[in-house]
Amino acid sequence: MSKRIWQSRYIYLLILPTIVYFAIFTYTPFYGITIAFKDFKIMSGIMHSPWVGFEHFRSMFDSEKFPELLKNTIIISLYRLVFGFPVPILFALLLNEVRHLWFKRIVQTVTYFPHFLSWVVFGGIIYNFIGPSGIINLLLVNAGLDKFNFTTNADVFRTVIVITAIMKEFGWGAIIYLAALSGIDAQLYEAAKIDGAGKMRQIWHVTLPGIRPIIALLFCLQLAGILDAGFDQIFIFLNPAVYDVGDIIDTYVYRLGLLQSQFELATAVGLFKGIIGVILIVSANNVIRRMGEKSLW
């Protein structure tokens, strides 16, 4: 073993900075998870703070706020999964049928661009459309209608979250599917045409089966993040008027940890979220493997 490592020493030396980076910034901070099991005192530090066991987890589950947070997080994530996951697939299928290269490049550029904007910038753009003095309300007023509060109306808040999330990421999400589509053998389409298959039949029997492994893999990854409803986006749009339907685990952890300095409870909530994510990704991976698709491991 040592001989093999010495023979490949230059390769190991090449990857050493990456190993050091992840060791310092990814694995070393794991020690901070112990805050969830301690009565953390800033002046004493993590190591010298007294242990309290699962006290903070009991406080979390006994909290009247936690069930509402969990419900909001799951509902928003499921909405994004159900309505948002198919959009990049459909967009990639449509874009794959475009034969004018110049038009295809323009559409790709326009749809990819929002991905590179932060939610602060993109949220500001959206707010200029749906805000109280936004373009939509100006049009409503000019048409003799009443203004509609998109940002403070609890009935439409989740709809706004889902639609804006799709608008920002569907173009970027289609890249992987377009790459998978380019790898499908063109002879399969020729054979389908000879058998009399129309365009829709070709998509159903050739295109979709060709990208099915990628669809299953990305679905597995997105399912694992079911408790990650998108902190950046919701933090930008969230306000007290929509806390009942929009307050999620991440925004609650932000308020507990940074605004109220309840680091122990915030860490406990975050650790709970991470454990559920691990369980979901392992379960989804096993299901996909049993279905005969390519799994993560």
Side-chain angles (χ1 to χ4, degrees), residues 20-262:
V20 172
Y21 171 83
F22 281 101
I24 294 175
F25 296 103
T26 302
Y27 293 101
T28 302
F30 280 175
Y31 177 68
I33 293 176
T34 57
I35 295 177
F37 306 95
K38 291 190 172 188
D39 183 14
F40 179 60
K41 308 294 184 183
I42 295 179
M43 300 306 296
S44 300
I46 298 177
M47 184 176 296
H48 299 290
S49 296
W51 287 90
V52 294
F54 292 94
E55 181 64 32
H56 300 304
F57 290 91
R58 282 191 288 268
S59 299
M60 175 182 69
F61 290 118
D62 292 340
S63 172
E64 296 180 356
K65 185 73 174 174
F66 187 73
E68 181 182 284
L69 295 170
L70 188 60
K71 183 187 75 173
N72 290 340
T73 304
I74 293 175
I75 289 176
I76 292 175
S77 294
L78 286 177
Y79 282 172
R80 295 176 68 166
L81 182 64
V82 172
F83 297 106
F85 186 78
V87 174
I89 302 174
L90 295 174
F91 178 68
L93 293 175
L94 292 173
L95 202 59
N96 189 56
E97 299 300 323
V98 176
R99 294 294 172 257
H100 297 288
L101 188 59
W102 62 270
F103 180 74
K104 187 175 183 177
R105 288 177 176 174
I106 292 175
V107 173
Q108 285 178 314
T109 302
V110 172
T111 54
Y112 294 173
F113 180 70
H115 170 79
F116 298 99
L117 299 177
S118 68
W119 268 111
V120 175
V121 176
F122 190 74
I125 296 173
I126 296 298
Y127 197 82
N128 285 332
F129 280 90
I130 66 175
S133 301
I135 296 175
I136 294 178
N137 276 318
L138 288 177
L139 293 175
L140 291 175
V141 171
N142 290 334
L145 303 174
D146 294 331
K147 288 186 176 182
F148 187 85
N149 278 326
F150 292 93
T151 55
T152 58
N153 192 319
D155 295 332
V156 300
F157 179 78
R158 290 170 179 165
T159 303
V160 169
I161 291 297
V162 173
I163 291 176
T164 52
I166 293 173
M167 290 171 58
K168 188 175 187 299
E169 298 296 340
F170 82 95
W172 182 258
I175 292 178
I176 298 177
Y177 297 112
L178 288 170
L181 287 170
S182 65
I184 298 177
D185 191 348
Q187 294 181 356
L188 296 175
Y189 291 104
E190 295 297 331
K193 289 180 182 179
I194 293 174
D195 290 339
K199 183 58 66 176
M200 294 303 298
R201 287 283 185 176
Q202 293 175 36
I203 293 175
W204 184 258
H205 294 288
V206 178
T207 306
L208 289 178
I211 64 174
R212 188 171 59 188
I214 299 298
I215 294 175
L217 188 63
L218 294 180
F219 182 81
C220 176
L221 291 173
Q222 193 160 341
L223 184 63
I226 200 72
L227 293 185
D228 185 10
F231 169 77
D232 294 346
Q233 178 192 15
I234 293 181
F235 182 74
I236 294 299
F237 289 103
L238 191 64
N239 58 77
V242 293
Y243 271 177
D244 291 342
V245 297
D247 199 15
I248 61 172
I249 292 176
D250 288 340
T251 53
Y252 182 64
V253 168
Y254 164 78
R255 292 199 304 275
L256 280 180
L258 295 183
L259 301 184
Q260 301 178 21
S261 298
Q262 298 184 37

